[in-house]
Amino acid sequence: MTEWLDSRAQGRKLAARQIQVIGILRSQPRLASYGSVSDIAAAASSNASTVTRTAQTLGFKGWADFQFELRSRFLASLSAVEVAAEHNGHISSPAQTAITTDRTNLAHLERTLDMDTVHSIAQAIAGARQTLIIAAGSYAIPGKALEHNAIIAGYNVRLLDADVAALTNAVARLTPHDLVIAISLWRVYDSTLRAVEFAHNVGTPIASITDSAGSPVAAHAAHRIVVPTESAGFFPSLTGAVSAAQAITVELATLDRDKSNQNIAASERAWDQLRIMHPRSSS
């Protein structure tokens, strides 16, 4: 995180008080990640306006946007045990805290999600020969939702998750006419990063869903969605990523309504014929 702060500050004209603020951000990453503007100002023997100006000088709209990126990087630097320790406060109801945290995450996503980016990703899926979603571990959960619903809507979308051999074989056949959507939150799977780099090298367009604008998975992405992943537990919250995936699917299904409706109807007929679903009650 220190290297990131130094890179953001490099070449920028900073006042003496702003340099003091950056010193606190570097030396007290937990305070910087969770403290209020007033907390940071007090620690730096400064004031709230200087803290806000420092965030803006470093290239962010304000303190909230800066702290979101900073906290993502702070949590990414911790092990699962250390993340769990960060949340081991006096919580009367962990379950309620988890729900409240997810509600906050969704509110943040609603404020920050660029709908033009969602539309662009949907258009890229519609125009691609095939779309490969690359996501490992629990990050595959939003990928599975996107794959499942996009296929029903009539698009050639495939999730590549746990099977590294299948991932390798699939990316070996990528072309510039395809699309890769990489989903990576918190700590990055090396297999995901290498696959994205391979796709970039062969000219395949890339979209990303990450929890940090500076994620290496997003480095070559033409379309980037950044989601909040703050959690009450030792794992990142998937709520924001699932919501973003659902938004892409809804947008995709409206690009060609006739095509989507025909494919949805065909899927439903197949479900009925294969007796996949339990019969719905007529009462």
Side-chain angles (χ1 to χ4, degrees):
M1 195 168 75
T2 297
E3 292 180 0
W4 175 71
L5 282 169
D6 290 344
S7 69
R8 299 294 303 192
Q10 188 174 12
R12 300 179 189 270
K13 188 175 181 180
L14 295 163
R17 285 194 174 186
Q18 290 178 314
I19 293 174
Q20 287 179 232
V21 170
I22 291 177
I24 293 299
L25 302 180
R26 296 180 67 198
S27 63
Q28 300 185 47
R30 191 188 187 287
L31 175 66
S33 298
Y34 291 99
S36 65
V37 171
S38 298
D39 294 332
I40 307 302
S45 299
S46 186
N47 54 61
S49 61
T50 298
V51 174
T52 300
R53 283 198 303 272
T54 301
Q56 292 170 336
T57 301
L58 293 177
F60 294 85
K61 292 181 180 179
W63 174 254
D65 290 334
F66 172 78
Q67 189 177 50
F68 172 80
E69 180 68 20
L70 186 78
R71 184 162 58 242
S72 293
R73 291 174 178 273
F74 171 63
L75 291 173
S77 71
L78 304 180
S79 68
V81 173
E82 289 170 329
V83 171
E86 286 293 322
H87 298 107
N88 281 344
H90 299 289
I91 300 174
S92 59
S93 175
Q96 181 62 56
T97 301
I99 292 171
T100 300
T101 302
D102 276 345
R103 185 173 65 238
T104 301
N105 286 342
L106 281 176
H108 178 92
L109 182 64
E110 186 177 17
R111 290 195 306 271
T112 59
L113 183 59
D114 182 358
M115 296 307 162
D116 289 338
T117 299
V118 174
H119 181 72
S120 295
I121 294 175
Q123 284 188 314
I125 294 172
R129 179 181 69 107
Q130 65 170 340
T131 296
L132 299 184
I133 303 171
I134 301 174
S138 62
Y139 312 157
I141 293 172
K144 185 63 180 177
L146 178 54
E147 176 202 45
H148 178 77
N149 293 320
I151 289 174
I152 292 173
Y155 295 93
N156 185 11
V157 177
R158 179 185 176 192
L159 170 66
L160 297 167
D161 49 9
D163 190 335
V164 178
L167 170 63
T168 303
N169 291 335
V171 299
R173 292 163 177 76
L174 283 170
T175 75
H177 302 292
D178 300 320
L179 174 69
V180 162
I181 300 177
I183 303 176
S184 180
L185 314 172
W186 186 30
R187 297 166 72 181
V188 175
Y189 283 89
D190 195 48
S191 58
T192 299
L193 180 57
R194 289 181 182 275
V196 168
E197 289 176 344
F198 185 96
H200 170 68
N201 290 336
V202 299
T204 305
I206 298 164
S208 64
I209 299 176
T210 65
D211 61 349
S212 169
S215 171
V217 169
H220 303 303
H223 311 293
R224 300 180 179 92
I225 291 178
V226 178
V227 299
T229 56
E230 182 72 12
S231 170
F234 66 89
F235 46 83
S237 169
L238 300 175
T239 301
V242 170
S243 182
Q246 297 289 66
I248 293 169
T249 306
V250 171
E251 191 78 17
L252 178 63
T254 61
L255 294 180
D256 186 338
R257 292 183 185 274
D258 289 340
K259 173 182 177 176
S260 294
N261 289 341
Q262 289 171 9
N263 280 278
I264 292 167
S267 293
E268 187 138 330
R269 287 194 298 272
W271 294 338
D272 290 341
Q273 291 173 16
L274 296 176
R275 299 178 182 174
I276 300 298
M277 297 294 184
H278 184 74
R280 288 174 291 185
S281 173
S282 58
S283 58

